[in-house]
Amino acid sequence: MPVIRLPVEPGHILTFARAIGDDDPAYLAALAGPHPRAVAPPTFVMSSAHFDDDYPLRPRPGEEWFGSGAGPGTAREGGGGLHAEQHFEYHRPVRAGDVLTAETRPGRGWEKKGRAGLLRFTETITEYRDAEGRLVVTARSVGVVTEAPVSGPSARGGREES
């Protein structure tokens, strides 16, 4: 998988904090310049997807968007499953001025029997390192795909499939 470069700029921190509705002064302090309390919100590293030209879930101009991937034939690589878990391990805070590199690798996989049949879980691990190569954040994402299509009121926002 490609290595993504994530510049942690004060404006990015401010925009991300506002997008998640968090006005913690530690996030706003980044605008004043380097400061030990000027840090990024905990889930900020997820914004690295915006710096990945090949991110499969991003809508593209001139291409039909596959939406949630719930319909038959609409999912493309990166779609068609559900996001089950997200975990972050912080080795130090993410700070304005950092330039992180993100490298993703597959983790473990497992199966479990569910109401809709077999559930297949896959783990993806992304390591974010600073310019000196030191580990800053380890993110672990777990996705799940069902063996059979899910139908019924809960799967379609209260509407039965016909």
Side-chain angles (χ1 to χ4, degrees):
M1 298 194 139
V3 174
I4 306 304
R5 185 177 173 275
L6 172 61
V8 183
E9 299 173 3
H12 293 157
I13 293 173
L14 175 66
T15 303
F16 190 91
R18 286 183 174 166
I20 63 172
D22 194 336
D23 60 0
D24 187 314
Y27 310 145
L28 304 178
L31 292 175
H35 187 277
R37 284 206 10 94
V39 298
T43 57
F44 179 82
V45 294
M46 296 305 291
S47 67
S48 64
H50 293 281
F51 293 87
D52 179 358
D53 292 337
D54 298 321
Y55 185 63
L57 301 178
R58 179 184 305 118
R60 303 224 183 327
E63 291 183 24
E64 185 177 339
W65 187 53
F66 64 92
S68 66
T74 59
R76 62 181 186 218
E77 182 185 344
L82 299 170
H83 181 87
E85 297 178 18
Q86 187 72 49
H87 302 269
F88 298 93
E89 180 182 353
Y90 296 89
H91 308 282
R92 74 155 172 85
V94 175
R95 294 188 177 90
D98 282 339
V99 177
L100 303 178
T101 55
E103 190 164 9
T104 301
R105 61 180 164 82
R108 59 192 185 98
W110 65 95
E111 296 178 345
K112 181 179 176 183
K113 189 73 172 164
R115 290 189 308 261
L118 190 63
L119 303 172
R120 290 186 180 89
F121 293 86
T122 56
E123 178 183 63
T124 302
I125 299 167
T126 303
E127 293 182 336
Y128 296 86
R129 295 182 181 273
D130 64 17
E132 289 77 37
R134 292 182 299 246
L135 196 54
V136 177
V137 179
T138 303
R140 185 174 65 88
S141 178
V142 177
V144 61
V145 176
T146 60
E147 180 179 51
V150 178
S151 63
S154 63
R156 299 284 177 232
R159 298 183 308 258
E160 287 285 346
E161 278 189 1
S162 40

